[in-house]
């Protein structure tokens, strides 16, 4: 269970999470109702292997927001709607008005919902109490904020805010490609996105290329700036960092995974605990580097 993306929010380290397990349990996922489109709530991170609603590893917590979504394709609804409208027009000799169309559409949705297929979904999150940061396993800000909202619903109050950098991330990412020293432990990867700073400027996406090469230099000399940059931390973690400070393509490399393979755990719960401990440790190191490099302010 390694996270693939990290959308980060900060919260005060003084936040009391003593009763979190019970609070998550009180806001557990309920099956989506017959006339509901979706349902959200917390589920045990380890699924059927452990009933706890959070897993704790030192200062790191693992929790999961689960959901059930009704699959009701718009094309199906619209097809049935058009057939009903055509039947009404043929009977009355005139096209139904807007209010009638809306009423019939609502009736169709109500009729179809109980028979719609249900798709289960889940989104994992890591809470680092030491740094006061929650990392949500998604690259979608909207999806991440939905998870934060669920945590807020459980706690009653959760003052988590998106990361705030004192220096523009785009400027820092560009300087690293241009040859400025990187923070200790960080090295350039082989992927970046360069943009002309004008609103309608060119966008260049580069993959599997030496980022210190002449071609990259020409783009920088032309005024393009880095908006995404692949980086590697201590040969343990590779990732792509965006100017929005969202970490994408988060991946543990052999240097880190070797620790997992040498653990020898056969029990599924023990293996999941080991995997989370490993990932949480690497995340803490990564966030410490990013916090210093971008001067990320602490939530108040």
């Amino acid at each position: 269970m390694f996270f693939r993306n990290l959308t980060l929010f900060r919260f005060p380290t003084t936040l009391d999470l003593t009763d979190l397990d019970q609070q998550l349990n009180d806001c557990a996922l309920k099956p989506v109702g017959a006339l509901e489109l979706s349902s959200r709530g917390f589920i045990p991170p380890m699924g059927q292997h452990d009933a706890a609603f959070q897993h704790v590893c030192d200062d790191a917590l693992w929790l999961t927001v689960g959901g059930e979504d009704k699959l009701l394709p718009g094309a199906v609804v619209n097809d049935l709607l058009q057939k009903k409208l055509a039947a009404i027009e043929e009977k009355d000799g005139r096209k139904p008005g807007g209010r009638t169309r809306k009423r019939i559409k609502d009736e169709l949705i109500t009729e179809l919902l109980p028979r719609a297929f249900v798709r289960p979904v889940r989104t994992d999150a890591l809470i680092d109490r030491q740094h006061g940061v929650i990392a949500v396993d998604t690259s979608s800000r909207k999806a991440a904020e939905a998870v934060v909202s669920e945590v807020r619903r459980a706690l009653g109050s959760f003052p988590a805010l998106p990361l705030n950098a004192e220096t523009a991330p785009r400027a820092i990412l560009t300087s690293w490609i241009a040859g400025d020293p990187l923070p200790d432990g960080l090295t350039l990867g082989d992927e970046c996105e360069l943009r002309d700073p004008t609103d309608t400027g060119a966008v260049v996406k580069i993959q599997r290329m030496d980022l210190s090469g002449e071609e990259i230099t020409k783009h920088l000399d032309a005024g393009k700036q880095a908006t995404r940059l692949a980086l590697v931390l201590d040969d343990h973690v590779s990732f792509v960092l965006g100017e929005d400070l969202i970490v994408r393509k988060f991946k543990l490399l052999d240097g880190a995974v070797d620790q997992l393979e040498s653990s020898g755990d056969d029990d599924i719960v023990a293996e999941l605990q080991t995997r989370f401990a490993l990932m949480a440790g690497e995340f803490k190191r990564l966030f410490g580097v990013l916090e210093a490099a971008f001067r990320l302010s602490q939530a108040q």
Side-chain angles (χ1 to χ4, degrees), residues 134-202:
I134 177 172
V136 185
D137 185 13
T138 178
S139 61
S140 165
R141 179 78 66 185
K142 181 178 180 181
E145 288 176 345
V147 170
V148 170
S149 293
E150 287 299 316
V151 176
R152 186 175 295 116
R153 180 169 71 93
L155 295 178
S157 174
F158 186 49
L161 300 172
L163 297 185
N164 180 38
E166 293 185 13
T167 305
R170 180 182 291 202
I172 294 177
L173 296 177
T174 303
S175 71
W176 288 349
I177 297 181
D180 284 2
L182 277 75
D184 289 343
L186 278 186
T187 55
L188 293 177
D190 62 357
E191 176 181 342
C192 71
E193 178 182 275
L194 304 174
R195 288 180 178 264
D196 190 290
T198 61
D199 292 338
T200 58

Side-chain angles (χ1 to χ4, degrees), residues 22-96:
Q22 183 59 51
Q23 291 167 320
L24 297 179
N25 186 37
D26 292 341
C27 294
L29 173 67
K30 294 179 175 59
V32 61
L35 300 181
E36 293 179 321
L37 281 170
S38 64
S39 177
R40 290 292 183 273
F42 292 95
I43 60 175
M46 298 188 188
Q48 61 182 353
H49 306 292
D50 192 325
F53 280 83
Q54 67 168 332
H55 172 65
V56 181
C57 178
D58 296 328
D59 286 324
L61 311 177
W62 174 19
L63 53 86
T64 303
V65 172
E68 293 186 351
D69 292 333
K70 290 283 186 67
L71 299 180
L72 195 59
V76 173
V77 175
N78 289 331
D79 180 61
L80 292 174
L81 175 62
Q82 294 306 318
K83 290 179 180 178
K84 283 185 174 291
L85 293 175
I88 293 174
E89 182 177 357
E90 182 178 352
K91 178 182 177 182
D92 298 343
R94 59 182 178 82
K95 291 185 177 181

Side-chain angles (χ1 to χ4, degrees), residues 6-7 13 27 29 40 45 61 78 98 106 113-114 142 167 182 202 228 247 258 266 269 293 299:
L6 305 170
T7 298
T13 55
C27 294
L29 173 67
R40 290 292 183 273
L61 311 177
N78 289 331
D106 290 343
L113 274 176
K142 181 178 180 181
T167 305
L182 277 75
R228 292 189 185 184
V247 176
D258 287 346
D266 294 326
V269 172

Side-chain angles (χ1 to χ4, degrees), residues 74-298:
V76 173
V77 175
N78 289 331
D79 180 61
L80 292 174
L81 175 62
Q82 294 306 318
K83 290 179 180 178
K84 283 185 174 291
L85 293 175
I88 293 174
E89 182 177 357
E90 182 178 352
K91 178 182 177 182
D92 298 343
R94 59 182 178 82
K95 291 185 177 181
R99 290 184 179 180
T100 301
R101 292 173 61 91
K102 184 180 184 306
R103 176 181 59 79
I104 294 174
K105 185 174 182 178
D106 290 343
E107 290 174 352
L108 281 172
I109 292 176
T110 301
E111 177 185 342
L112 293 172
L113 274 176
R115 294 179 284 155
F117 288 106
V118 176
R119 177 183 64 184
V121 295
R122 66 175 284 163
T123 306
D124 294 289
L126 182 156
I127 292 180
D128 181 347
R129 291 178 293 186
Q130 176 187 352
H131 292 100
V133 61
I134 177 172
V136 185
D137 185 13
T138 178
S139 61
S140 165
R141 179 78 66 185
K142 181 178 180 181
E145 288 176 345
V147 170
V148 170
S149 293
E150 287 299 316
V151 176
R152 186 175 295 116
R153 180 169 71 93
L155 295 178
S157 174
F158 186 49
L161 300 172
L163 297 185
N164 180 38
E166 293 185 13
T167 305
R170 180 182 291 202
I172 294 177
L173 296 177
T174 303
S175 71
W176 288 349
I177 297 181
D180 284 2
L182 277 75
D184 289 343
L186 278 186
T187 55
L188 293 177
D190 62 357
E191 176 181 342
C192 71
E193 178 182 275
L194 304 174
R195 288 180 178 264
D196 190 290
T198 61
D199 292 338
T200 58
V203 179
V204 179
K205 296 183 179 181
I206 297 167
Q207 293 182 321
R208 296 183 293 276
M209 182 180 292
D210 180 5
L211 300 186
S212 61
E214 182 179 349
E215 182 175 342
I216 303 296
T217 301
K218 289 181 179 179
H219 285 300
L220 296 179
D221 290 342
K224 293 185 178 65
Q225 301 172 340
T227 52
R228 292 189 185 184
L229 177 60
L231 296 161
V232 178
L233 177 61
D234 292 333
D235 292 326
H236 277 208
V237 177
S238 66
F239 59 98
V240 175
L241 182 64
E243 65 172 335
D244 53 8
L245 295 177
I246 293 177
V247 176
R248 299 171 173 86
K249 299 183 179 181
F250 180 81
K251 181 180 180 181
L252 297 187
L253 303 178
D254 291 344
V257 176
D258 287 346
Q259 303 175 40
L260 176 64
E261 294 176 346
S262 63
S263 67
D265 287 326
D266 294 326
D267 179 76
I268 185 64
V269 172
E271 180 181 345
L272 288 172
Q273 291 173 341
T274 303
R275 284 176 175 268
F276 179 73
L278 174 60
M279 192 193 71
E282 295 298 337
F283 169 76
K284 284 177 177 287
R285 293 198 308 125
L286 171 59
F287 185 79
V289 171
L290 297 181
E291 183 178 37
F294 291 92
R295 298 179 181 178
L296 303 177
S297 59
Q298 175 68 51

